[in-house]
Amino acid sequence: MARYIKNTLITSILPVIGTLISCPMVAYSITKIPWKGGKYLFPIILMTMMIPSMVTQIPMYATWSKLGMLNTFIPLVLPSFFGSTYYIYLFRQFMKSLPTSVIEAARIDGAGDFRILYSIVYPMCSSILTTVAVMVFIACWNDYVGPLMYLQDSKLYTLGIGLQMFKNAAQPEWTLLMAASTVFTVPLIVIFFFCQNAFLNGIQTTSGIK
């Protein structure tokens, strides 16, 4: 169980880091940087949400197989560093509400876009950053299909697969099964408990709920 927890933390924390690096950069570029392609790029990004994940599973598996990266954590972690459509959308909706005058003042003072993003925009986006971090962590923590597709060595299994294996092995032992389920669930409850205010504020700001 300890090994499964460690593997799950790796495949949950690294995607959070990758998402918080890549998605704000894309959202900032199409929202606050004046360039002609921004208004055309965002609809193209949104169009990728129309493609069901089931359709891309076989091509993605074949791609990672040809790259020789099966049975590693790379297929579960690396895509997050290239952005996710839904989280780019959330960041864009939030950044549209940020005052443009502050960013323009920073440009006049000689700050570059990366300096503006990490020194000005990031601190102003603390609520949506927390919201996305919690959502990504929960999604990766609960992910079952991804690890099942790409991981073959039992030493690399995550809690989702480990819990299923434990269920098959200890099906009559309901006390042990409930204990294992508690280990799987408690971290998510704790994270949401400590981050609920920022999480709800981020949801309200990006969705328009009052």
Side-chain angles (χ1 to χ4, degrees), residues 5-199:
I5 293 175
K6 182 189 73 172
N7 295 338
T8 308
L9 287 174
I10 293 174
T11 58
S12 299
I13 294 177
L14 291 181
V16 170
I17 297 173
T19 301
L20 296 185
I21 292 175
S22 59
C23 293
M25 291 177 62
V26 178
Y28 174 75
S29 68
I30 60 180
T31 306
K32 296 300 182 181
I33 298 179
W35 62 291
K36 294 182 179 180
K39 61 181 180 180
Y40 303 108
L41 180 62
F42 184 64
I44 295 175
I45 294 175
L46 287 182
M47 288 174 60
T48 61
M49 294 181 66
M50 302 179 185
I51 305 175
S53 59
M54 293 74 72
V55 175
T56 61
Q57 283 180 351
I58 295 177
M60 290 299 296
Y61 181 87
T63 301
W64 291 117
S65 177
K66 291 182 179 179
L67 292 174
M69 295 182 180
L70 293 182
N71 203 33
T72 66
F73 293 140
I74 295 178
L76 303 174
V77 172
L78 187 60
S80 64
F81 285 86
F82 293 91
S84 173
T85 303
Y86 179 64
Y87 302 122
I88 291 173
Y89 170 78
L90 291 182
F91 277 111
R92 176 184 179 272
Q93 294 301 106
F94 189 91
M95 289 183 183
K96 285 176 65 177
S97 64
L98 299 180
T100 306
S101 58
V102 177
I103 298 175
E104 291 178 349
R107 287 200 181 100
I108 293 174
D109 290 338
D113 287 316
F114 281 102
R115 178 68 181 275
I116 295 173
L117 176 64
Y118 290 109
S119 299
I120 299 176
V121 175
Y122 263 70
M124 298 171 68
C125 295
S126 58
S127 60
I128 189 62
L129 286 170
T130 304
T131 300
V132 171
V134 172
M135 294 174 67
V136 174
F137 185 87
I138 291 176
C140 295
W141 186 274
N142 291 329
D143 189 17
Y144 177 76
V145 176
L148 187 65
M149 284 179 55
Y150 299 119
L151 303 179
Q152 302 165 359
D153 189 350
S154 60
K155 294 181 179 179
L156 300 176
Y157 284 169
T158 59
L159 270 174
I161 302 177
L163 186 62
Q164 182 64 37
M165 293 175 59
F166 190 79
K167 176 183 176 182
N168 296 334
Q171 190 168 3
E173 302 290 341
W174 290 105
T175 54
L176 298 178
L177 185 58
M178 291 300 102
S181 300
T182 301
V183 172
F184 183 83
T185 308
V186 165
L188 303 181
I189 299 175
V190 172
I191 289 174
F192 184 79
F193 177 78
F194 284 103
C195 302
Q196 59 179 327
N197 290 333
F199 180 83

